[in-house]
Amino acid sequence: MKKKIYYFDHAATTPVKPEVLAEMIPYFTAHYGNPSSIYSLGRDTKEAINTARERVAKGIGAKPNEIYFTGCGTEADNWAIKGVAGAYKDKGRHIITSAIEHHAVLHTCASLEKEGFEITYVNPDSEGIIHPEDVEKAIRPDTILISIMFANNEIGTVQDIASLCKIAHKHDILFHTDAVQATGAIYYNVKDLDVDMLSMSAHKLYGPKGIGALYIKNGVRPDVFMDGGAQERHRRGGTENVAGIAGFGKAMEMAIDGIEEKSCYIATMRDYLIQSIEEKIPYVKLNGHREQRLPNNVNFSFRFIEGESLLLSLDLKGIAASSGSACTSGSLDPSHVLLAIGLPHEIAHGSLRLTIGEETTMEQMDYVVSSLVEIVERLRNMSPLYEDFKKTQN
Amino acid sequence: MYTEKVMEEFSNPKNVGEIPDANAIGEVGNAVCGDIMKIYMKIENDVIVDVKFKTFGCGAAIATSSMATQMVIGKTVDEALKLTNKQVLDELGGLPPQKIHCSVLAEEAIAAALKNYFENEGREVPDSLKNKCTGNCESCHIHDAK
């Protein structure tokens, strides 16, 4: 018998919706033409790209010609940051970002540091908020770009992007945001936010893997990312991933349909999960901001136990989740995000991220909580840290 | 990632717990690194009659603790002194490269308990036990994989 899977890792990726897949399939089979070709077989695929571009643009309040498809969210982040660095290096070589960015941004910045750029990493507060005044303090005459993520992938904290962007523009600096987690989860409009560039990824919103996009406001000119043909208005060469693009368009259209009601519903589910864990398990700490938080994100530290053994135990019960523990990252240090919000190493090692989705049910959440109660107790009874702690309590 | 044997030891670890009247206790690793192993032994006439462990750590740390305790129970102190991380690894069918240090920690935890036994008995600590992990990661020369 196939084991039932309880999927609580929607921040890692989401399943492709059947309607999205249906939209993609013809572009592998009947409509296989190269969109750059002149004959009708190519025109069909060109049309599919145009439709998808309109859908993605509409989803975030942009114009279609401000959407550039990329291979993934990471590529969009690379393009935005390296593209501005290359185009504006004569104006300055200083970039501001935050200490809690995804590695797609952090490692891109680290690579620019090797080329002589200087990066300031603004620290968050203990709930993961990046304060606009801290960003403003970091601004220098040679600052050319500020890149702050919209919503954190680990702890779910959502930033006040409009205020952060305002600070950047007050000083005539470009603003980019990595909105990979926020897009499809919460409603926003790029024109209201006024951001110059914004990164997205389809597979976080029930679309396919291998397709992302960068919104580039008209008038903003980062360097060309991929030299090649005339695709993506000469700025990102390479034959388009037509099926992926079509899937992204459909996934965005579906994600945006009733997004405010859906966000609200998922946030209610999230709060139920948070409350259940807090009620049933002692010595836990919710990581991230309680309200200014992605509707689907739950992140707890369970004291006295280590995250990987927690994940393995959950996996044995069919539950898929993730952790900021060092043992799952391949390094000796726990998550940079958890350390940046001030968690001591031993508490950061015991973190667990549960991210829910549209298909998550109350029964599934109850199953996860009852499993957690059992697993945490078992691991704590094995832990010398818990043994020491209990002695101090007596 | 893990062998079936590792998962079995992790899911149903043997010898978990404490020994109230232990006459040898060893603790290695620290919470900052994310691994602590604490070994309790009851040793009579240089024979290890009981062993228990408590471990804070990943799946591999728990599995190696369980395996190492099973490998020394009923053995003489001299036999237990010869336990190596390689033997623990072999019994588990291997570990992923980034988890090898867990088997080293298990060897060290056993050694730390044995060292404690010699000290408690007022006997000279064998040379082979003198250069083992002290549980202080700051000055660690064994785990400096960073």
Side-chain angles (χ1 to χ4, degrees):
Chain A
M1 199 180 81
K2 203 172 162 225
K3 197 165 73 174
K4 198 172 169 192
I5 293 289
Y6 296 81
Y7 189 68
F8 279 72
D9 207 13
H10 288 80
T13 194
T14 53
V16 173
K17 281 187 177 167
E19 298 91 330
V20 171
L21 182 63
E23 191 98 2
M24 295 172 68
I25 284 174
Y27 300 100
F28 291 111
T29 52
H31 305 288
Y32 55 82
N34 190 316
S36 300
S37 304
I38 198 87
Y39 40 77
S40 67
L41 203 57
R43 290 202 302 274
D44 291 347
T45 50
K46 188 83 191 162
E47 196 44 45
I49 294 172
N50 289 342
T51 302
R53 202 184 303 283
E54 279 163 22
R55 284 170 167 173
V56 171
K58 194 175 168 205
I60 64 166
K63 296 190 187 93
N65 67 5
E66 294 174 311
I67 301 297
Y68 296 83
F69 290 111
T70 61
C72 52
T74 295
E75 184 190 319
D77 285 336
N78 268 263
W79 185 4
I81 297 168
K82 288 178 182 162
V84 166
Y88 293 78
K89 60 180 182 291
D90 294 337
K91 188 181 169 232
R93 287 174 164 258
H94 179 238
I95 292 171
I96 298 169
T97 187
S98 85
I100 57 168
E101 296 297 312
H102 189 274
H103 286 126
V105 168
L106 287 181
H107 289 169
T108 298
C109 287
S111 133
L112 286 173
E113 276 178 319
K114 284 185 199 149
E115 289 176 32
F117 284 84
E118 284 179 67
I119 316 286
T120 300
Y121 301 91
V122 177
N123 278 314
D125 67 15
S126 61
E127 291 177 310
I129 304 280
I130 305 291
H131 292 279
E133 54 271 28
D134 293 336
V135 171
E136 188 159 30
K137 273 185 227 148
I139 291 173
R140 310 193 319 208
D142 60 341
T143 307
I144 52 170
L145 176 70
I146 298 175
S147 177
I148 308 282
M149 74 197 317
F150 204 137
N152 186 268
N153 50 309
E154 290 186 39
I155 57 171
T157 302
V158 178
Q159 307 299 339
D160 179 358
I161 292 298
S163 299
L164 291 162
C165 189
K166 214 169 175 174
I167 296 288
H169 290 169
K170 189 174 120 189
H171 295 270
D172 206 18
I173 298 165
L174 290 172
F175 189 89
H176 163 253
T177 186
D178 173 347
V180 166
Q181 292 292 336
T183 308
I186 49 174
Y187 177 74
Y188 65 83
N189 179 309
V190 286
K191 300 300 167 191
D192 294 341
L193 298 174
D194 203 25
V195 294
D196 299 296
M197 292 171 292
L198 177 144
S199 306
M200 297 168 263
S201 179
H203 75 101
K204 309 288 190 188
L205 44 113
Y206 302 91
K209 294 161 187 68
I211 186 75
L214 181 64
Y215 157 80
I216 307 176
K217 189 198 275 176
N218 279 335
V220 174
R221 303 285 295 178
D223 273 353
V224 165
F225 186 72
M226 188 92 82
D227 293 313
Q231 294 90 353
E232 302 302 293
R233 305 173 79 212
H234 298 274
R235 294 168 86 172
R236 200 272 186 190
T239 300
E240 297 91 337
N241 171 5
V242 184
I245 290 171
F248 190 0
K250 186 64 183 172
M252 179 66 99
E253 187 183 68
M254 293 182 75
I256 295 303
D257 184 34
I259 187 169
E260 282 165 299
E261 294 77 20
K262 279 190 285 188
S263 291
C264 194
Y265 167 73
I266 293 176
T268 310
M269 300 276 278
R270 169 201 70 193
D271 291 341
Y272 173 78
L273 185 54
I274 290 174
Q275 203 189 339
S276 302
I277 291 172
E278 286 179 330
E279 271 172 20
K280 301 206 167 100
I281 308 178
Y283 317 120
V284 299
K285 180 191 177 298
L286 179 72
N287 295 316
H289 196 280
R290 211 168 269 272
E291 286 94 36
Q292 231 174 295
R293 180 180 201 99
L294 281 172
N296 68 354
N297 176 289
V298 174
N299 186 312
F300 274 102
S301 282
F302 297 86
R303 285 181 64 193
F304 320 118
I305 61 176
E306 195 278 331
E308 192 220 57
S309 48
L310 187 54
L311 288 188
L312 284 175
S313 306
L314 286 168
D315 182 43
L316 290 169
K317 290 181 175 292
I319 301 164
S322 101
S323 168
S325 139
C327 281
T328 56
S329 72
S331 81
L332 289 177
D333 280 324
S335 140
H336 65 284
V337 176
L338 298 176
L339 295 180
I341 60 170
L343 291 194
H345 276 69
E346 62 269 32
I347 307 231
H349 282 302
S351 77
L352 176 72
R353 181 186 74 179
L354 298 165
T355 43
I356 58 176
E358 290 176 19
E359 72 283 12
T360 307
T361 63
M362 295 292 264
E363 290 71 33
Q364 288 179 343
M365 294 198 294
D366 288 339
Y367 175 74
V368 167
V369 174
S370 64
S371 301
L372 269 176
V373 169
E374 189 190 314
I375 292 165
V376 170
E377 194 190 347
R378 183 179 98 90
L379 293 174
R380 279 183 179 161
N381 285 335
M382 240 187 262
S383 166
L385 293 176
Y386 190 51
E387 183 186 315
D388 293 347
F389 173 76
K390 277 193 301 184
K391 279 175 192 154
T392 66
Q393 298 295 295
N394 292 334
Chain B
M1 180 167 102
Y2 290 131
T3 63
E4 260 176 54
K5 185 68 189 157
V6 172
M7 285 310 291
E8 189 188 312
E9 292 298 323
F10 168 71
S11 310
N12 298 298
K14 313 293 181 309
N15 307 318
V16 176
E18 299 162 50
I19 301 175
D21 60 342
N23 57 353
I25 298 175
E27 183 173 321
V28 294
N30 76 29
V32 174
C33 299
D35 290 307
I36 300 177
M37 279 183 204
K38 190 169 184 182
I39 302 272
Y40 297 84
M41 288 182 181
K42 180 80 184 160
I43 304 176
E44 287 170 4
N45 303 320
D46 276 6
V47 174
I48 302 167
V49 295
D50 198 9
V51 192
K52 295 270 188 241
F53 81 88
K54 286 234 170 158
T55 291
F56 161 80
C58 62
I62 290 169
T64 53
S65 306
S66 170
M67 185 50 80
T69 54
Q70 292 170 69
M71 290 169 79
V72 297
I73 199 160
K75 297 278 166 66
T76 64
V77 168
D78 280 347
E79 283 165 340
L81 279 172
K82 293 184 186 118
L83 179 81
T84 65
N85 78 301
K86 175 80 171 52
Q87 290 166 340
V88 177
L89 276 178
D90 288 346
E91 283 296 316
L92 289 170
L95 282 172
Q98 74 274 21
K99 299 289 184 183
I100 301 292
H101 78 274
C102 292
S103 66
V104 176
L105 211 59
E107 177 193 325
E108 288 168 350
I110 298 289
L114 295 174
K115 187 177 173 205
N116 181 248
Y117 171 68
F118 284 105
E119 287 163 355
N120 288 342
E121 293 278 297
R123 283 155 62 177
E124 197 193 337
V125 175
D127 284 347
S128 65
L129 290 178
K130 284 178 182 160
N131 280 324
K132 293 279 184 175
C133 173
T134 57
N136 180 2
C137 289
E138 292 297 312
S139 62
C140 185
H141 56 99
I142 303 158
H143 308 294
D144 55 359
K146 236 184 229 186

